[in-house]
Amino acid sequence: MVLSISIPIHTTSSTPRPHVIYVVEVVKPDGGKITVKHRYSEFCSLKELLKDGYPFPSKDSLSATIVPGSWVDDKRIEERKLGLAAYLDNLCRDEKYADHPVFLGFLGLWASTMVPEKYRDGDELVKPIAGSYYPSWSKDVVPPNKVDFSKFDVIFYAFACPTQDGGLKWEEDGEATLKELVKNARESGHPTKIVLSVGGWSGSTFFSEIMASPMHRNKLLHELVNFVDFQGLDGIDVDWEYPNAPGSGHPHSPADAANLLIFMKALRNALGPAKIISAAVPHEPWLGSDGAPMKDVAEFASLMTYVNIMNYDVFTSSSQPGPNAPLGDLCGSSNQPKANAHAALTQWTKAGFPASKLILGLPLYGYVSRSSAKKLSGSGSPGLGHPHRRFVSPPAYFAPLGDVSRIWGQQIPFSQLLAYGILTRRSDGTYGATNGYTYDWDNCSDTPFVYNPSRTTVVTYDDTYSIASKTQYARKAGMAGCFTWSMDQDDGYALHDVMLHNLGR
């Protein structure tokens, strides 16, 4: 597929912080040439995805955070260029990897004969999907009649909560908001699919008990199927947080995963082959009867349309803050090496769930830490695993702009970073720090953060740059697409639009 690969030159970029960009020149069998540009972290992503045994230049051959002296250290950069070029050359000469879709995607070879099978439907390319969760409380920020449905392939409406006997209950006027959302989606003329999400962080209390009882399990099944039919929905998303794990202090059992499979079989049989069946999941497969992540989830994959990987809440607020949603453990320094986008893809696919059915979650929120740190740590406070919950706005805000001491230790929506005067939107659509905050970048996780020592505050979050890098990763890896949590936390559609653009939309 490729005649030769070289890295003849490199360049530099100052955004989102100074880094080296390697220009890869690919010579195709027909003599044609193409060039692609990649950061070192993207080479690391390729290496982690392929799991090959070829030599790779050490992460330490250049400092993880480029300092001014590194810019003129041409010898060290040349050494890395040679090492990366040799690595790519080994791949293109190995039959196992030369035609691998991830490798071809890395090289920019996305012609119709070179893309992963999941991107093909007959002779037509199937675009990666763009989704988002729309919690019932989103109506206060984005009313159903104001949603731009052209931007969404799937909207997961959250939540209906199972009752102890297998019935459903709704938060506030959640059922009425869903009806309005469906009505506006159908009237929009866009083919947006509306999927009902069941459970959530605080709504998973009775899942284990329901799934263990054939009577209650069947009742929940009929409730969901009847609701899908009555409301004209496109499917069901099971947001059980989590099987055989306590989540928010929920009862759980070693039989949870086996019972969930029974339920999924019945749900697929009742809904038929066309409806979406998905589940919001952690970085590793569900826990089996032995309390360890399941090694084989292929039977689940045969029944389900997607699993939605919740790649967030990895590190929460801490005096040593870490990344909320790391792309990878790019420096090998995290005390949670299995909790990042790279690891999640590997862990789920190794267990038998194809990449083409995995959707990568992107958070539209961050964390506010009481801290004097000026860099992120991979050894801070681990997240508590409560991603799908409601952000509760603090009382009326009268403090000076930039003062978020009132919400130390809490989540903060991206839109609130602007309202609190921590970020400002630039004319080019990117975001910079303001009111005494310094913008910085963690190369070990591909995460932006801002800090203000005088306010003893650090805020970790995702912005246009990190959303772009994670979306690009998902696309190159052949994943089904990306989704955001949650629609109401964006600055309009600013971050969602970045996701769309990098999905090729």
Side-chain angles (χ1 to χ4, degrees), residues 264-402:
M264 288 295 189
K265 289 178 178 178
L267 185 61
R268 174 55 73 199
N269 183 62
L271 290 179
K275 296 294 186 181
I276 290 173
I277 297 179
S278 62
V281 301
H283 293 90
E284 294 187 89
W286 299 290
L287 301 184
S289 59
D290 60 355
M294 297 178 68
K295 295 181 179 179
D296 186 354
V297 292
E299 196 168 1
F300 282 95
S302 69
L303 301 166
M304 298 173 64
T305 317
Y306 309 114
V307 295
N308 302 339
I309 296 173
M310 298 183 285
N311 182 43
Y312 29 81
D313 277 352
V314 174
F315 292 97
T316 57
S317 302
S318 168
S319 61
Q320 295 180 305
N324 177 32
L327 172 63
D329 182 16
L330 303 178
C331 299
S333 56
S334 175
N335 66 0
Q336 296 194 82
K338 295 183 178 181
N340 56 71
H342 291 181
L345 175 64
T346 299
Q347 287 150 189
W348 278 93
T349 54
K350 185 177 180 180
F353 220 103
S356 60
K357 290 189 171 189
L358 303 179
I359 309 179
L360 180 62
L362 310 174
L364 303 183
Y365 66 91
Y367 277 94
V368 180
S369 292
R370 185 176 186 177
S371 173
S372 298
K374 295 184 179 180
K375 63 179 182 178
L376 298 190
S377 168
S379 58
S381 297
L384 299 177
H386 43 63
H388 286 179
R389 63 174 184 171
R390 182 172 186 170
F391 170 77
V392 180
S393 299
Y397 179 69
F398 299 108
L401 287 176

Side-chain angles (χ1 to χ4, degrees), residues 4-128:
S4 68
I5 301 178
S6 62
I7 305 178
I9 60 173
H10 70 274
T11 183
T12 57
S13 174
S14 59
T15 56
R17 63 169 297 150
H19 61 274
V20 176
I21 298 174
Y22 299 92
V23 181
V24 181
E25 185 176 279
V26 182
V27 179
K28 299 185 291 185
D30 62 4
K33 295 182 180 180
I34 62 171
T35 59
V36 290
K37 298 178 180 179
H38 288 292
R39 295 170 58 181
Y40 177 68
S41 63
E42 294 175 301
F43 283 89
C44 293
S45 299
L46 176 68
K47 176 74 171 175
E48 190 166 346
L49 277 171
L50 296 180
K51 300 293 184 184
D52 59 86
Y54 289 110
F56 191 81
S58 168
K59 292 180 173 69
D60 298 326
S61 60
L62 281 177
S63 60
T65 302
I66 296 175
V67 296
S70 300
W71 290 103
V72 295
D73 195 344
D74 288 339
K75 181 179 178 181
R76 296 172 70 198
I77 293 176
E78 287 301 320
E79 288 175 354
R80 175 169 282 183
K81 282 166 58 177
L82 290 172
L84 292 173
Y87 170 69
L88 295 179
D89 186 65
N90 283 328
L91 294 178
C92 79
R93 296 178 186 280
D94 188 325
E95 291 183 359
K96 181 178 179 181
Y97 302 109
D99 294 332
H100 195 291
V102 172
F103 184 45
L104 295 176
F106 181 87
L107 299 178
L109 299 174
W110 286 98
S112 61
T113 57
M114 302 178 184
V115 299
E117 197 64 27
K118 84 105 184 169
Y119 286 113
R120 297 179 60 80
D121 181 9
D123 291 328
E124 298 295 324
L125 295 185
V126 179
K127 293 181 179 179

Side-chain angles (χ1 to χ4, degrees), residues 132-135 137 156-159 161 171 197-204 237-242 248 250 278-282 308-313 360-363 365 367 384-391 411 483-486 489:
S132 187
Y133 277 82
Y134 183 103
W137 56 84
F156 300 94
Y157 181 82
F159 293 104
C161 299
E171 295 188 358
S197 187
V198 184
W201 176 247
S202 60
S204 296
D237 175 60
V238 179
D239 192 354
W240 181 355
E241 301 182 22
Y242 304 93
S248 182
H250 306 312
S278 62
V281 301
N308 302 339
I309 296 173
M310 298 183 285
N311 182 43
Y312 29 81
D313 277 352
L360 180 62
L362 310 174
Y365 66 91
Y367 277 94
L384 299 177
H386 43 63
H388 286 179
R389 63 174 184 171
R390 182 172 186 170
F391 170 77
Q411 290 182 359
F483 73 88
T484 58
W485 175 273
S486 57
Q489 300 187 89

Side-chain angles (χ1 to χ4, degrees), residues 215-250:
M215 181 175 68
H216 294 161
R217 191 170 61 232
N218 287 334
K219 181 175 179 178
L220 179 60
L221 173 70
H222 289 300
E223 289 270 355
L224 294 176
V225 172
N226 289 339
F227 204 84
V228 167
D229 291 341
F230 182 71
Q231 296 296 336
L233 301 178
D234 297 292
I236 295 295
D237 175 60
V238 179
D239 192 354
W240 181 355
E241 301 182 22
Y242 304 93
N244 201 16
S248 182
H250 306 312

